[in-house]
Amino acid sequence: MEAVLSAGARVERASIARRLILSPASVVFVLLLAELFWPVPGEAYPAYLLALTAAVELVYLVRLSLVRRDKGVAAAGDVAAIIFGILLAWHLCTTRFVLVDKMLFPKPEPVLRLFVSELPDMLKGLVNSLILLVSGYLIALGTAIPLGLLVGWRVRVFKAVHPFTKVLGPIPPIVYIPYAIALLPSFRAASIFVIFIGAFWPVFINTVNGVFNIHKGLLDSARVLSLSERTLLFRVILPGAMPSICTGATLGLVFALVLLTAAELIGANSGIGWYVKNFADFADYQRVVVGIIFISIVVTVITWGTERLERRLLRWRN
Amino acid sequence: MHEIALHNVTFSYGSQIVLEEINFTAYAGEFVCLLGPSGCGKSTLLRLLAGLGQPTSGRLTLDGSPITGPGLDRGVVFQDYSLFPWMTTGQNVILALNQAFPGKSKAEQAETAQAYLEMVGLSDVFDKLPGALSGGMRQRAAIARAFAINSPVLLMDEPFGALDAITRARLQDLLLQLWQHNSRERKTVFFVTHDVEEAILLANRVVVMGLNPGSVRGVFEVDIPRPRQRQDLYSDPAFTRLRDQLIRELNADVLQELDGGRTVQSAGEAI
Ligand SMILES: Nc1ncnc2c1ncn2[C@@H]1O[C@H](COP(=O)(O)OP(=O)(O)OP(=O)(O)O)[C@@H](O)[C@H]1O
Ligand SMILES: [Mg+2]
């Protein structure tokens, strides 16, 4: 019995090893290492790039040992391969050969070095940005979800409100920015307002739709149980509309991020969007790229967090 | 006492008349089975009794007072699954118990819910989401929920349709047991089924409905003493007689429809 088991384990380990060696991630990883270790005249060894490459490979290997199923392994491998591929192409095009404009496309090694040294400043800017984002977004969720539930549930309110939502909903919120800046006392208030408007509509409209789309049989079930208004709202309507609310909240968050950055590009003196715009004005494209990378990491982390939250809220849907 | 009366009940969806001039009275404590072809309006009639809709014309009364909306005096088992998918099966039953018996403690509610789930043969689904149950299990959980509120009226829409023969027989016995349990306060039951034999096994009276528009074709008394034993039923001449009568009544509609079809077909052949 044991022998069979250990033999099975050995076969499994062997097949994992084979898959690992032959996987696209490993192939690109080796190519990238070769490229980085092969000296470029006039350049020091790219320590930061090597460290980043090693870190990505490490994360990939840890994931590989944790994830059992083939699907997860393949997905993690593809992501690693793409990251290695981008680094390889970037290094080839800017450092090994100079194939693209030197100023517009900075080399990876100094960008990474700069990223590390700029990190404290950028984190400070991030705090400012997040205050705006979180305030605007939470106000939007806090108003759009209750209003959406009310409007979706009360046919009469829906009929009264519907014409207005039809007209106001599709207005791109960016058009409010200049007016909001002029109208409101501070830049902070103006950006929070614009983020709020931008996130409000998708959340509101999806909440209303979510209530409409609750299966009629479930509402009948709730009615024959004579649930109180409160119970009905919190235990039936809200969870029933939750899938749609989550869709709206994700969309709203994307809008909020876009508007945050747009607002900062227009009127801020700190924050992550401002950082990029400020250095673009000075044609400091190294810092621009650093800022863009930083923003994408922040957005990735936020999206990852909200996806996990969504999966938790909608666990019942499998 | 819970007498349910329908006076000239007519119901239409838009211009389609679904139920026409239904007149029927279920006496307090009576077990009534509704038989009829698919689409004749059985579910619609049950919805009206549950208070989920109002008749286009006519009156439905419960002990003489008109039915204006749903109430906990009527437990309903719907034809399609009606558990809330975001609550565990146990929470679904507890929600109903909380409505019917708000005074009880949480522990008591959970215990009662588990007891009713066990009654329908579901002993380890309490913490499972409905999505993780089979169709028949979900249906049984919905039945447990309706039984748990212990209402004086039960409205059941093909509740055992999705179950295998053995489970179905067990639940039929359970239903009769709950119904007879206290003969002074018997429940009034409306039970929709497609199964003629099930109707005879369960009912005091069988209402046969017909199609286009849905209406009562006949009401049949089941003159077989209780408790009715399944194995004896088939050799009982009263049973066979009633069964043939019911099947003939049901088929009258279907034959008419098929005959209509055949006429058209032969006309086509003649061309
Ligand atoms: N929501 C609705 N809107 C319009 N028509 C409906 C609706 N619900 C039911 N109907 C129509 O009413 C008629 C009766 O439907 P009902 O569901 O009551 O039939 P049923 O006797 O329960 O059939 P089955 O045995 O198949 O369950 C059908 O013709 C159906 O098309
Ligand atoms: Mg039906």
Side-chain angles (χ1 to χ4, degrees):
Chain A
M1 188 67 190
E2 253 170 44
V4 173
L5 273 181
S6 68
R10 221 177 306 132
V11 168
E12 176 148 303
R13 225 172 295 142
S15 79
I16 285 182
R18 186 157 358 104
R19 271 202 316 245
L20 195 59
I21 291 167
L22 294 178
S23 75
S26 307
V27 174
V28 189
F29 175 62
V30 170
L31 286 176
L32 178 60
L33 279 189
E35 163 68 11
L36 295 184
F37 276 116
W38 183 16
V40 180
E43 297 269 346
Y45 269 110
Y48 284 89
L49 254 180
L50 282 169
L52 175 64
T53 308
V56 172
E57 177 70 9
L58 192 71
V59 170
Y60 167 53
L61 288 180
V62 168
R63 264 206 76 101
L64 203 62
S65 62
L66 292 180
V67 181
R68 270 283 155 106
R69 271 162 293 137
D70 285 323
K71 243 207 272 172
V73 173
D78 291 343
V79 171
I82 290 171
I83 295 176
F84 293 145
I86 290 172
L87 292 178
L88 178 62
W90 191 4
H91 193 261
L92 278 174
C93 295
T94 57
T95 314
R96 168 93 35 218
F97 315 103
V98 183
L99 300 176
V100 288
D101 186 293
K102 251 197 226 164
M103 199 171 82
L104 285 176
F105 295 92
K107 295 173 187 170
E109 180 65 14
V111 163
L112 285 182
R113 204 179 311 131
L114 198 58
F115 185 91
V116 173
S117 65
E118 290 283 293
L119 204 53
D121 276 355
M122 289 193 296
L123 285 175
K124 234 176 279 159
L126 176 66
V127 170
N128 287 329
S129 298
L130 282 184
I131 290 173
L132 301 181
L133 183 78
V134 170
S135 329
Y137 187 59
L138 285 186
I139 297 172
L141 289 184
T143 51
I145 295 175
L147 281 175
L149 292 177
L150 176 74
V151 171
W153 184 234
R154 296 267 175 238
V155 178
R156 187 152 164 210
V157 182
F158 173 75
K159 285 190 175 143
V161 170
H162 188 59
F164 296 99
T165 59
K166 257 194 131 131
V167 174
L168 293 176
I171 299 177
I174 294 195
V175 305
Y176 297 123
I177 295 178
Y179 190 44
I181 289 176
L183 201 64
L184 290 167
S186 65
F187 167 75
R188 177 169 279 198
S191 349
I192 291 178
F193 174 75
V194 172
I195 292 168
F196 158 71
I197 298 271
F200 179 87
W201 289 110
V203 179
F204 176 75
I205 289 168
N206 277 286
T207 305
V208 174
N209 277 332
V211 178
F212 282 166
N213 290 335
I214 297 175
H215 196 285
K216 292 291 165 286
L218 293 180
L219 293 180
D220 284 347
S221 275
R223 286 180 64 199
V224 301
L225 289 176
S226 305
L227 298 181
S228 67
E229 198 87 341
R230 208 186 121 87
T231 316
L232 187 69
L233 191 66
F234 284 106
R235 305 215 45 198
V236 179
I237 308 220
L238 180 61
M242 193 51 84
S244 191
I245 293 177
C246 282
T247 310
T250 309
L251 259 171
L253 185 61
V254 173
F255 275 50
L257 281 166
V258 169
L259 286 166
L260 167 71
T261 329
E264 285 185 350
L265 291 180
I266 294 175
N269 47 21
S270 75
I272 49 178
W274 168 83
Y275 183 95
V276 172
K277 143 118 186 358
N278 185 44
F279 289 110
D281 286 349
F282 291 111
D284 183 349
Y285 293 108
Q286 268 191 11
R287 282 193 168 77
V288 169
V289 172
V290 165
I292 291 173
I293 294 175
F294 184 71
I295 291 178
S296 20
I297 292 173
V298 168
V299 172
T300 308
V301 169
I302 291 177
T303 323
W304 177 81
T306 53
E307 265 171 20
R308 283 193 62 119
L309 183 66
E310 180 177 339
R311 230 177 298 148
R312 237 191 107 77
L313 284 171
L314 301 181
R315 222 172 356 189
W316 53 271
R317 290 214 306 182
N318 295 338
Chain B
M1 291 289 110
H2 285 84
E3 181 186 273
I4 294 177
L6 299 112
H7 308 280
N8 297 321
V9 170
T10 298
F11 183 87
S12 27
Y13 279 114
S15 61
Q16 184 200 1
I17 299 171
V18 176
L19 295 170
E20 193 175 49
E21 295 287 316
I22 308 266
N23 280 293
F24 181 76
T25 302
Y27 307 111
E30 193 181 16
F31 199 125
V32 177
C33 278
L34 291 175
L35 264 180
S38 180
C40 72
K42 304 181 295 293
S43 299
T44 309
L45 186 60
L46 229 58
R47 281 180 59 85
L48 296 182
L49 291 170
L52 291 170
Q54 291 296 319
T56 314
S57 67
R59 285 191 316 132
L60 297 98
T61 59
L62 206 153
D63 281 336
S65 40
I67 295 175
T68 52
L72 285 167
D73 50 358
R74 282 152 287 151
V76 186
V77 178
F78 291 97
Q79 186 170 9
D80 36 20
Y81 313 124
S82 50
L83 299 176
F84 301 111
W86 45 85
M87 298 179 201
T88 65
T89 312
Q91 286 170 335
N92 265 284
V93 181
I94 290 176
L95 180 69
L97 282 169
N98 269 330
Q99 290 303 112
F101 312 104
K104 293 226 178 116
S105 75
K106 265 193 176 156
E108 270 178 296
Q109 306 281 37
E111 208 171 296
T112 316
Q114 174 64 17
Y116 274 97
L117 285 171
E118 275 171 21
M119 264 188 223
V120 298
L122 300 171
S123 46
D124 56 352
V125 301
F126 193 89
D127 290 318
K128 287 193 179 147
L129 290 168
L133 305 186
S134 76
M137 289 163 94
R138 278 196 289 259
Q139 186 66 339
R140 278 186 279 160
I143 292 167
R145 179 174 68 180
F147 285 171
I149 63 173
N150 196 16
S151 52
V153 177
L154 263 181
L155 308 170
M156 306 179 80
D157 197 349
E158 291 182 44
F160 306 150
L163 306 177
D164 65 280
I166 293 170
T167 315
R168 174 191 277 242
R170 282 232 318 268
L171 288 181
Q172 288 167 343
D173 291 344
L174 174 64
L175 173 59
L176 286 177
Q177 194 190 318
L178 288 173
W179 172 67
Q180 281 163 335
H181 164 69
N182 186 343
S183 52
R184 216 160 39 81
E185 288 173 34
R186 268 192 184 162
K187 297 175 191 300
T188 310
V189 183
F190 271 84
F191 186 100
V192 174
T193 177
H194 276 149
D195 183 337
V196 174
E197 288 167 11
E198 181 173 54
I200 301 174
L201 177 75
L202 297 174
N204 292 118
R205 282 190 296 165
V206 180
V207 177
V208 178
M209 293 178 64
L211 268 171
N212 297 329
S215 56
V216 175
R217 291 294 149 88
V219 179
F220 298 82
E221 193 92 25
V222 183
D223 242 340
I224 301 172
R226 297 176 192 266
R228 297 168 186 163
Q229 301 298 337
R230 273 190 199 78
Q231 59 270 38
D232 302 342
L233 221 46
Y234 290 93
S235 50
D236 187 335
F239 171 84
T240 4
R241 204 171 334 112
L242 182 55
R243 184 186 59 190
D244 295 345
Q245 216 175 352
L246 289 174
I247 291 176
R248 217 173 309 123
E249 192 63 44
L250 276 172
N251 286 351
D253 247 15
V254 182
L255 286 178
Q256 216 174 329
E257 199 124 296
L258 286 179
D259 274 349
R262 209 168 289 148
T263 324
V264 172
Q265 214 174 31
S266 54
E269 278 162 8
I271 293 172

